[in-house]
Amino acid sequence: MNLGFGRQCPPGRGGPMDYYKAEHLAHFASIAEGNKELADRFFAWYGAVFADGALSAREKALLALAVAHAIQCPYCIDAYTKSCLEAGLSLEHITEAVHVASAIRGGASLIHTLQAHNAVDRSSL
């Protein structure tokens, strides 16, 4: 895995590829081991959130995939990519949604430039 600046972190060396493993996603339900009641409530709420409503389950899958990219959750990216494909969405849909999320995230970073401008103005007095 390229970590930037030409550095590599091979599997087994404590890099992100060792922490995030696709097979972990199949064990998500094990979160109930610490508190079954809270897990049951989470899964009930989660199911209700993703049920058809004003937005279809298909639209929600695409939204979830965009958010997954914005928060950079590899497990969510894997899960919602699969959900999008199962809902009949194409790579073109997925790519466009990821670009929308990236544009919003980038814009949110850029607007904070105003904070830097304000700090410069305060320091220039």
Side-chain angles (χ1 to χ4, degrees), residues 23-59:
E23 61 269 18
H24 290 169
L25 190 55
H27 302 287
F28 185 61
S30 70
I31 66 164
E33 291 175 12
N35 188 317
K36 184 172 177 349
E37 180 185 351
L38 289 177
D40 288 345
R41 289 179 183 195
F42 169 79
F43 288 121
W45 171 71
Y46 188 89
V49 165
F50 281 92
D52 281 329
L55 297 172
S56 69
R58 182 177 192 249
E59 292 167 320

Short mmCIF file of all heavy atoms in Angstrom, two decimals, residues 23-59:
data_model
loop_
_atom_site.label_atom_id
_atom_site.label_comp_id
_atom_site.label_asym_id
_atom_site.label_seq_id
_atom_site.Cartn_x
_atom_site.Cartn_y
_atom_site.Cartn_z
N GLU A 23 -13.25 -9.19 5.64
CA GLU A 23 -13.97 -10.26 6.33
C GLU A 23 -14.55 -9.81 7.67
O GLU A 23 -15.45 -10.44 8.22
CB GLU A 23 -13.10 -11.51 6.49
CG GLU A 23 -11.84 -11.32 7.30
CD GLU A 23 -10.61 -10.94 6.49
OE1 GLU A 23 -10.74 -10.49 5.33
OE2 GLU A 23 -9.50 -11.07 7.03
N HIS A 24 -14.07 -8.70 8.22
CA HIS A 24 -14.62 -8.19 9.49
C HIS A 24 -16.07 -7.75 9.33
O HIS A 24 -16.86 -7.85 10.26
CB HIS A 24 -13.79 -7.00 9.99
CG HIS A 24 -12.43 -7.38 10.46
ND1 HIS A 24 -11.47 -6.44 10.74
CD2 HIS A 24 -11.86 -8.57 10.69
CE1 HIS A 24 -10.38 -7.03 11.13
NE2 HIS A 24 -10.58 -8.34 11.11
N LEU A 25 -16.41 -7.26 8.16
CA LEU A 25 -17.76 -6.74 7.92
C LEU A 25 -18.83 -7.79 8.20
O LEU A 25 -19.90 -7.48 8.73
CB LEU A 25 -17.86 -6.22 6.49
CG LEU A 25 -19.11 -5.43 6.12
CD1 LEU A 25 -19.31 -4.25 7.06
CD2 LEU A 25 -18.99 -4.95 4.69
N ALA A 26 -18.53 -9.04 7.90
CA ALA A 26 -19.50 -10.12 8.12
C ALA A 26 -19.77 -10.35 9.61
O ALA A 26 -20.74 -11.00 9.97
CB ALA A 26 -18.99 -11.41 7.47
N HIS A 27 -18.93 -9.79 10.47
CA HIS A 27 -19.06 -9.99 11.92
C HIS A 27 -19.62 -8.75 12.63
O HIS A 27 -19.55 -8.65 13.85
CB HIS A 27 -17.70 -10.36 12.52
CG HIS A 27 -17.11 -11.59 11.90
ND1 HIS A 27 -17.60 -12.85 12.14
CD2 HIS A 27 -16.10 -11.73 11.02
CE1 HIS A 27 -16.89 -13.72 11.44
NE2 HIS A 27 -15.99 -13.07 10.74
N PHE A 28 -20.20 -7.85 11.87
CA PHE A 28 -20.70 -6.60 12.45
C PHE A 28 -21.72 -6.86 13.57
O PHE A 28 -21.76 -6.15 14.56
CB PHE A 28 -21.29 -5.71 11.36
CG PHE A 28 -21.72 -4.35 11.86
CD1 PHE A 28 -20.80 -3.48 12.41
CD2 PHE A 28 -23.04 -3.95 11.77
CE1 PHE A 28 -21.18 -2.22 12.87
CE2 PHE A 28 -23.43 -2.70 12.23
CZ PHE A 28 -22.50 -1.83 12.77
N ALA A 29 -22.53 -7.88 13.40
CA ALA A 29 -23.55 -8.17 14.41
C ALA A 29 -22.96 -8.50 15.78
O ALA A 29 -23.64 -8.42 16.80
CB ALA A 29 -24.45 -9.32 13.96
N SER A 30 -21.67 -8.80 15.82
CA SER A 30 -21.04 -9.13 17.11
C SER A 30 -20.96 -7.91 18.03
O SER A 30 -20.62 -8.05 19.20
CB SER A 30 -19.65 -9.73 16.90
OG SER A 30 -18.75 -8.76 16.43
N ILE A 31 -21.33 -6.73 17.53
CA ILE A 31 -21.36 -5.57 18.43
C ILE A 31 -22.35 -5.79 19.57
O ILE A 31 -22.27 -5.14 20.60
CB ILE A 31 -21.67 -4.25 17.69
CG1 ILE A 31 -23.09 -4.24 17.13
CG2 ILE A 31 -20.63 -3.96 16.62
CD1 ILE A 31 -23.60 -2.88 16.74
N ALA A 32 -23.27 -6.72 19.39
CA ALA A 32 -24.27 -7.02 20.42
C ALA A 32 -23.66 -7.67 21.65
O ALA A 32 -24.28 -7.68 22.71
CB ALA A 32 -25.37 -7.91 19.85
N GLU A 33 -22.46 -8.20 21.53
CA GLU A 33 -21.84 -8.90 22.65
C GLU A 33 -21.65 -8.01 23.87
O GLU A 33 -21.69 -8.48 24.99
CB GLU A 33 -20.49 -9.51 22.22
CG GLU A 33 -20.66 -10.64 21.25
CD GLU A 33 -19.34 -11.16 20.71
OE1 GLU A 33 -18.26 -10.81 21.25
OE2 GLU A 33 -19.38 -11.93 19.73
N GLY A 34 -21.45 -6.74 23.69
CA GLY A 34 -21.26 -5.83 24.82
C GLY A 34 -22.56 -5.37 25.45
O GLY A 34 -22.61 -5.11 26.65
N ASN A 35 -23.61 -5.27 24.65
CA ASN A 35 -24.90 -4.82 25.17
C ASN A 35 -25.96 -5.13 24.12
O ASN A 35 -26.19 -4.35 23.20
CB ASN A 35 -24.86 -3.31 25.48
CG ASN A 35 -26.10 -2.84 26.20
OD1 ASN A 35 -27.22 -3.23 25.84
ND2 ASN A 35 -25.92 -1.99 27.19
N LYS A 36 -26.59 -6.28 24.27
CA LYS A 36 -27.57 -6.75 23.28
C LYS A 36 -28.73 -5.77 23.11
O LYS A 36 -29.17 -5.52 22.00
CB LYS A 36 -28.08 -8.14 23.65
CG LYS A 36 -29.02 -8.70 22.58
CD LYS A 36 -29.39 -10.13 22.84
CE LYS A 36 -30.36 -10.73 21.88
NZ LYS A 36 -31.05 -9.92 20.93
N GLU A 37 -29.21 -5.20 24.20
CA GLU A 37 -30.34 -4.28 24.11
C GLU A 37 -30.01 -3.07 23.23
O GLU A 37 -30.79 -2.70 22.36
CB GLU A 37 -30.77 -3.81 25.50
CG GLU A 37 -31.95 -2.85 25.46
CD GLU A 37 -32.31 -2.28 26.83
OE1 GLU A 37 -31.77 -2.74 27.85
OE2 GLU A 37 -33.14 -1.36 26.84
N LEU A 38 -28.86 -2.47 23.45
CA LEU A 38 -28.48 -1.32 22.64
C LEU A 38 -28.25 -1.72 21.18
O LEU A 38 -28.63 -0.98 20.26
CB LEU A 38 -27.23 -0.64 23.20
CG LEU A 38 -27.44 0.12 24.51
CD1 LEU A 38 -26.10 0.69 25.00
CD2 LEU A 38 -28.47 1.22 24.35
N ALA A 39 -27.63 -2.87 20.96
CA ALA A 39 -27.42 -3.35 19.59
C ALA A 39 -28.75 -3.58 18.89
O ALA A 39 -28.93 -3.19 17.73
CB ALA A 39 -26.58 -4.62 19.59
N ASP A 40 -29.70 -4.20 19.59
CA ASP A 40 -31.02 -4.43 19.01
C ASP A 40 -31.69 -3.12 18.62
O ASP A 40 -32.29 -3.01 17.55
CB ASP A 40 -31.92 -5.20 19.98
CG ASP A 40 -31.51 -6.66 20.14
OD1 ASP A 40 -30.71 -7.16 19.32
OD2 ASP A 40 -31.99 -7.29 21.11
N ARG A 41 -31.56 -2.12 19.48
CA ARG A 41 -32.14 -0.82 19.18
C ARG A 41 -31.46 -0.17 17.98
O ARG A 41 -32.11 0.43 17.14
CB ARG A 41 -32.05 0.11 20.40
CG ARG A 41 -32.98 -0.29 21.51
CD ARG A 41 -32.85 0.61 22.70
NE ARG A 41 -33.71 0.16 23.77
CZ ARG A 41 -34.02 0.91 24.81
NH1 ARG A 41 -33.53 2.13 24.93
NH2 ARG A 41 -34.80 0.44 25.75
N PHE A 42 -30.12 -0.29 17.93
CA PHE A 42 -29.39 0.26 16.79
C PHE A 42 -29.85 -0.42 15.50
O PHE A 42 -30.16 0.27 14.52
CB PHE A 42 -27.87 0.07 16.95
CG PHE A 42 -27.13 0.40 15.68
CD1 PHE A 42 -26.89 1.71 15.32
CD2 PHE A 42 -26.71 -0.61 14.83
CE1 PHE A 42 -26.23 2.02 14.13
CE2 PHE A 42 -26.05 -0.32 13.64
CZ PHE A 42 -25.81 0.99 13.29
N PHE A 43 -29.90 -1.75 15.48
CA PHE A 43 -30.27 -2.46 14.26
C PHE A 43 -31.72 -2.18 13.84
O PHE A 43 -32.02 -2.10 12.65
CB PHE A 43 -30.01 -3.97 14.39
CG PHE A 43 -28.54 -4.30 14.35
CD1 PHE A 43 -27.94 -4.95 15.41
CD2 PHE A 43 -27.75 -3.96 13.25
CE1 PHE A 43 -26.59 -5.27 15.38
CE2 PHE A 43 -26.40 -4.27 13.21
CZ PHE A 43 -25.81 -4.92 14.28
N ALA A 44 -32.61 -2.00 14.80
CA ALA A 44 -34.00 -1.65 14.48
C ALA A 44 -34.05 -0.26 13.84
O ALA A 44 -34.71 -0.05 12.82
CB ALA A 44 -34.88 -1.71 15.72
N TRP A 45 -33.34 0.69 14.45
CA TRP A 45 -33.30 2.06 13.91
C TRP A 45 -32.65 2.06 12.53
O TRP A 45 -33.16 2.67 11.59
CB TRP A 45 -32.53 2.94 14.89
CG TRP A 45 -32.21 4.31 14.37
CD1 TRP A 45 -33.10 5.34 14.16
CD2 TRP A 45 -30.94 4.80 13.97
NE1 TRP A 45 -32.43 6.44 13.68
CE2 TRP A 45 -31.10 6.14 13.56
CE3 TRP A 45 -29.66 4.25 13.96
CZ2 TRP A 45 -30.04 6.92 13.11
CZ3 TRP A 45 -28.60 5.03 13.52
CH2 TRP A 45 -28.80 6.34 13.10
N TYR A 46 -31.53 1.36 12.40
CA TYR A 46 -30.81 1.29 11.14
C TYR A 46 -31.71 0.72 10.03
O TYR A 46 -31.75 1.26 8.92
CB TYR A 46 -29.58 0.40 11.34
CG TYR A 46 -28.62 0.35 10.19
CD1 TYR A 46 -27.59 1.27 10.09
CD2 TYR A 46 -28.72 -0.63 9.21
CE1 TYR A 46 -26.69 1.22 9.05
CE2 TYR A 46 -27.83 -0.69 8.17
CZ TYR A 46 -26.81 0.24 8.09
OH TYR A 46 -25.93 0.18 7.06
N GLY A 47 -32.44 -0.34 10.35
CA GLY A 47 -33.36 -0.92 9.38
C GLY A 47 -34.43 0.05 8.96
O GLY A 47 -34.79 0.15 7.78
N ALA A 48 -34.96 0.80 9.92
CA ALA A 48 -36.00 1.79 9.61
C ALA A 48 -35.44 2.92 8.74
O ALA A 48 -36.11 3.38 7.81
CB ALA A 48 -36.58 2.35 10.91
N VAL A 49 -34.23 3.35 9.03
CA VAL A 49 -33.60 4.42 8.26
C VAL A 49 -33.46 4.02 6.80
O VAL A 49 -33.72 4.82 5.90
CB VAL A 49 -32.21 4.78 8.85
CG1 VAL A 49 -31.38 5.61 7.87
CG2 VAL A 49 -32.37 5.51 10.17
N PHE A 50 -33.09 2.77 6.54
CA PHE A 50 -32.82 2.34 5.16
C PHE A 50 -34.04 1.75 4.45
O PHE A 50 -33.94 1.38 3.29
CB PHE A 50 -31.62 1.37 5.12
CG PHE A 50 -30.33 2.12 5.20
CD1 PHE A 50 -29.73 2.36 6.42
CD2 PHE A 50 -29.74 2.63 4.06
CE1 PHE A 50 -28.54 3.07 6.50
CE2 PHE A 50 -28.56 3.36 4.12
CZ PHE A 50 -27.96 3.58 5.34
N ALA A 51 -35.19 1.73 5.10
CA ALA A 51 -36.42 1.28 4.44
C ALA A 51 -36.90 2.36 3.47
O ALA A 51 -36.56 3.54 3.61
CB ALA A 51 -37.49 1.00 5.49
N ASP A 52 -37.68 1.94 2.48
CA ASP A 52 -38.26 2.91 1.55
C ASP A 52 -39.08 3.93 2.33
O ASP A 52 -39.80 3.58 3.27
CB ASP A 52 -39.16 2.21 0.53
CG ASP A 52 -38.37 1.55 -0.59
OD1 ASP A 52 -37.30 2.05 -0.95
OD2 ASP A 52 -38.85 0.53 -1.11
N GLY A 53 -38.94 5.16 1.97
CA GLY A 53 -39.70 6.26 2.55
C GLY A 53 -39.81 7.34 1.49
O GLY A 53 -40.06 7.03 0.32
N ALA A 54 -39.60 8.58 1.87
CA ALA A 54 -39.56 9.65 0.87
C ALA A 54 -38.44 9.39 -0.13
O ALA A 54 -38.53 9.74 -1.30
CB ALA A 54 -39.38 11.01 1.55
N LEU A 55 -37.36 8.77 0.36
CA LEU A 55 -36.27 8.31 -0.50
C LEU A 55 -36.38 6.80 -0.64
O LEU A 55 -36.71 6.11 0.33
CB LEU A 55 -34.90 8.65 0.11
CG LEU A 55 -34.56 10.12 0.30
CD1 LEU A 55 -33.27 10.28 1.08
CD2 LEU A 55 -34.45 10.81 -1.05
N SER A 56 -36.08 6.31 -1.82
CA SER A 56 -36.10 4.86 -2.02
C SER A 56 -34.86 4.23 -1.39
O SER A 56 -33.87 4.91 -1.13
CB SER A 56 -36.12 4.54 -3.53
OG SER A 56 -34.87 4.89 -4.11
N ALA A 57 -34.93 2.94 -1.15
CA ALA A 57 -33.76 2.21 -0.62
C ALA A 57 -32.58 2.37 -1.58
O ALA A 57 -31.43 2.47 -1.16
CB ALA A 57 -34.11 0.74 -0.41
N ARG A 58 -32.86 2.43 -2.88
CA ARG A 58 -31.81 2.61 -3.90
C ARG A 58 -31.13 3.97 -3.72
O ARG A 58 -29.90 4.07 -3.75
CB ARG A 58 -32.45 2.49 -5.28
CG ARG A 58 -31.50 2.62 -6.44
CD ARG A 58 -32.27 2.40 -7.75
NE ARG A 58 -31.39 2.22 -8.86
CZ ARG A 58 -31.25 3.10 -9.85
NH1 ARG A 58 -31.97 4.21 -9.85
NH2 ARG A 58 -30.42 2.87 -10.85
N GLU A 59 -31.92 5.01 -3.55
CA GLU A 59 -31.37 6.35 -3.34
C GLU A 59 -30.57 6.41 -2.03
O GLU A 59 -29.50 7.02 -1.98
CB GLU A 59 -32.48 7.40 -3.31
CG GLU A 59 -33.17 7.59 -4.66
CD GLU A 59 -34.45 8.39 -4.55
OE1 GLU A 59 -35.23 8.20 -3.58
OE2 GLU A 59 -34.68 9.21 -5.47
#
